[in-house]
Amino acid sequence: MNDKLKGIFIPVVTPFTDQKVDLDKLAYNIQKSNLTSVKGYMPLGSNGEFAHMNDEEQMSVFKTVKENMAKDKVLMVGIARQSAYCTIEFGKRIEDMGADFVSVLCPSYFASFMDDSALIRYYTAVADALSIPVLLYNCPKFASGVTISSEVVKTLSAHPNILGMKDTSSGNIGKYLAVKDENFDVLAGSITNFLDGLKAGASGGVLSMANYLQEPCCSLYELYIRGKIEEAEVLSDKLIRLSKNATDKYSVAGVKAACDIFGYKGGEVRNPLADCTDEQREMIKTAFIGAGYL
């Protein structure tokens, strides 16, 4: 396993105020999170609403995270575009500024044509063109159902510049780990598949819950690493139930509402998404109180 990919990573939310990127709120969140046990940050992912921003806004988010993160934290950055060409062009800009990894969601606009050969062609072109290490990002619900197959992982994991992947689908981590190259790491992308992923051999997790409950997520990882499996299972069940009863119902808006509840700056979501109502926020808060976190 790559030491840089061991632990808990935050898929950083992008706060918006009056629909504009609020870099001050973002900087506050990173500075506050630096004081926790998280391993690092992943801006410009699904929780970061990357699809709702133009290139310059995305660069400003990346720069803000990079400038405010602690030196011992690891930085992985989402660079996905619908074509290999545009992904490479944006990736080169990130590469010039410096990051530890780039993360690339499947192209999906022409979803019916995104078979294994298309994904292999796309990711190979990106990895060949960049010197910064590439991570695959498998999340069918944000990619029009496009899913990275085990065969794609088997092929791409042998590429010298593709070092791992984030998997947010349910039940596939074990399949990927069974066929991957030995120098390829798999990260769980959800609290619901995190512990099972660790048991199967995943190196860590990029968890939306880590935006607001960093230490419980880190504690779950540490319990497993220290061999306290029963305690880890109890905590995992608790966090999964909490996620389902609180933020999962409202996607990014729920995550941002939870950030506000726990003293972070969630900010608004960007249109066409809708912020949680006051009633929904109270429901989320009640779930946290019931779980003993407030």
Side-chain angles (χ1 to χ4, degrees):
M1 289 185 182
N2 187 322
D3 285 343
K4 286 187 175 182
L5 293 174
K6 295 178 180 178
I8 301 295
F9 295 84
I10 300 175
V12 180
V13 297
T14 303
F16 298 106
T17 299
D18 296 328
Q19 294 295 290
K20 296 180 180 179
V21 177
D22 195 322
L23 297 178
D24 289 337
K25 288 182 177 179
L26 176 61
Y28 176 89
N29 290 343
I30 299 301
Q31 291 168 9
K32 185 176 173 68
S33 298
N34 283 336
L35 304 177
T36 71
S37 303
V38 297
K39 186 64 173 282
Y41 305 104
M42 181 188 159
L44 305 182
S46 306
N47 278 275
E49 294 177 77
F50 82 96
H52 290 171
M53 291 183 284
N54 62 38
D55 285 6
E56 296 315 310
E57 288 176 319
Q58 290 192 30
M59 284 301 298
S60 70
V61 166
F62 162 63
K63 289 177 182 178
T64 299
V65 174
K66 182 175 173 61
E67 289 168 0
N68 286 276
M69 62 183 278
K71 292 182 179 180
D72 64 335
K73 304 296 186 186
V74 175
L75 180 59
M76 53 181 72
V77 185
I79 64 167
R81 301 292 187 271
Q82 290 300 318
S83 69
Y85 179 88
C86 290
T87 302
I88 291 166
E89 287 298 296
F90 189 72
K92 286 180 177 177
R93 296 182 67 185
I94 297 297
E95 188 173 83
D96 289 343
M97 294 294 296
D100 295 290
F101 303 93
V102 290
S103 174
V104 186
L105 181 67
C106 298
S108 60
Y109 186 85
F110 295 101
S112 62
F113 292 92
M114 293 301 103
D115 56 14
D116 286 359
S117 62
L119 293 179
I120 290 171
R121 183 167 58 248
Y122 171 80
Y123 281 110
T124 298
V126 172
D128 284 348
L130 301 177
S131 60
I132 191 169
V134 173
L135 303 176
L136 315 179
Y137 178 14
N138 185 56
C139 189
K141 68 179 180 178
F142 293 136
S144 301
V146 176
T147 304
I148 297 175
S149 71
S150 296
E151 191 60 34
V152 170
V153 169
K154 182 178 179 180
T155 300
L156 293 179
S157 66
H159 192 291
N161 199 39
I162 299 178
L163 301 190
M165 73 182 295
K166 174 190 174 184
D167 177 50
T168 307
S169 65
S170 178
N172 283 341
I173 288 182
K175 298 176 184 178
Y176 297 143
L177 288 164
V179 300
K180 73 175 185 67
D181 186 83
E182 62 180 356
N183 296 316
F184 183 90
D185 285 283
V186 179
L187 295 161
S190 168
I191 192 65
T192 58
N193 72 348
F194 180 48
L195 183 57
D196 285 343
L198 291 178
K199 290 178 179 179
S203 58
V206 187
L207 311 178
S208 62
M209 183 173 274
N211 275 286
Y212 52 88
L213 281 181
Q214 292 94 339
E215 294 305 346
C217 292
C218 292
S219 294
L220 175 53
Y221 175 77
E222 288 299 325
L223 286 170
Y224 176 79
I225 293 301
R226 286 156 45 197
K228 298 185 176 182
I229 307 302
E230 291 186 6
E231 292 180 46
E233 289 173 343
V234 170
L235 179 55
S236 177
D237 289 345
K238 179 180 180 179
L239 294 179
I240 290 171
R241 286 196 307 273
L242 178 58
S243 183
K244 290 179 177 178
N245 291 333
T247 59
D248 284 5
K249 300 175 183 178
Y250 313 109
S251 189
V252 179
V255 175
K256 288 187 169 184
C259 288
D260 290 334
I261 290 168
F262 284 97
Y264 291 85
K265 309 291 185 181
E268 304 166 355
V269 292
R270 208 171 229 184
N271 187 335
L273 293 180
D275 294 314
C276 288
T277 64
D278 290 342
E279 181 181 5
Q280 290 167 342
R281 286 175 179 269
E282 282 304 311
M283 290 173 62
I284 292 172
K285 187 174 182 179
T286 298
F288 289 130
I289 292 172
Y293 288 113
L294 284 175

